[in-house]
Amino acid sequence: MTPAVSLLLLGLVDAAFSGFRAYAGRDARIRKHRGNLRAAGRGFAVGAALLTAPAVVAGLVLVTAADRARTFGALTAGGFGYLLPLAVYAAAVLLSLAAYFTLPFRAGTLAMVIGLGPLTLLRPLAVVAACCGAVLNGGGVAALLVGATAGAAVLCVEPVVHRRWYGEVQ
């Protein structure tokens, strides 16, 4: 079993949220569901494009490896090590989102402020922890290279979406 599909799905969901974050607060209308969905779709599309980079890097690492089976095993082990910290981070985000959507308005807003706000700021640290997990789980330099490329890709989604579609909105 390979963690690639799980990591891809996690990256695409994160990209959709990044698109939403790039748009959030930019529109004063109360009912902006269509705008939220459009922004999430833009984030998803940008994320899908950017996440081709780690796939290409992984492919190049495998093609140029002297022992492809061993390199594939190292990348798989590194992928599982990369997935664990991100799964913990995603669980914390889902818990905050669940509190936001299920609690009354004031408590939900508080959950947003003390949960999702700091978690957004911790995204780069979650990527660093994932890269460390990839190396510590036996992935080596190859897994670190692929993981760092994937981390850079997901962290670039929100700035790209913001600059492309929402940079002029004040």
Side-chain angles (χ1 to χ4, degrees):
M1 183 168 148
T2 177
V5 173
S6 299
L7 287 168
L8 177 64
L9 291 175
L10 193 58
L12 291 173
V13 169
D14 181 73
F17 278 122
S18 293
F20 169 76
R21 278 192 308 272
Y23 173 70
R26 309 260 184 246
D27 190 336
R29 290 178 286 188
I30 294 172
R31 290 189 177 94
K32 52 185 177 179
H33 300 293
R34 209 174 290 157
N36 289 340
L37 287 174
R38 185 180 323 110
R42 288 172 174 168
F44 185 90
V46 169
L50 290 177
L51 285 172
T52 59
V56 168
V57 170
L60 288 174
V61 166
L62 282 172
V63 167
T64 61
D67 185 0
R68 289 187 183 144
R70 185 175 178 186
T71 302
F72 184 80
L75 286 175
T76 300
F80 282 117
Y82 195 85
L83 184 59
L84 181 63
L86 294 181
V88 171
Y89 176 80
V93 169
L94 287 175
L95 185 62
S96 287
L97 280 172
Y100 173 69
F101 286 118
T102 60
L103 293 175
F105 178 74
R106 287 186 181 169
T109 302
L110 180 64
M112 178 73 80
V113 170
I114 64 172
L116 290 176
L119 285 171
T120 299
L121 296 175
L122 292 176
R123 284 178 74 236
L125 294 177
V127 169
V128 169
C131 287
C132 290
V135 172
L136 292 175
N137 203 41
V141 175
L144 179 62
L145 177 64
V146 174
T149 305
V154 297
L155 292 175
C156 286
V157 172
E158 188 171 347
V160 168
V161 171
H162 175 75
R163 250 185 236 113
R164 169 66 177 92
W165 286 285
Y166 308 113
E168 296 176 9
V169 179
Q170 295 298 334

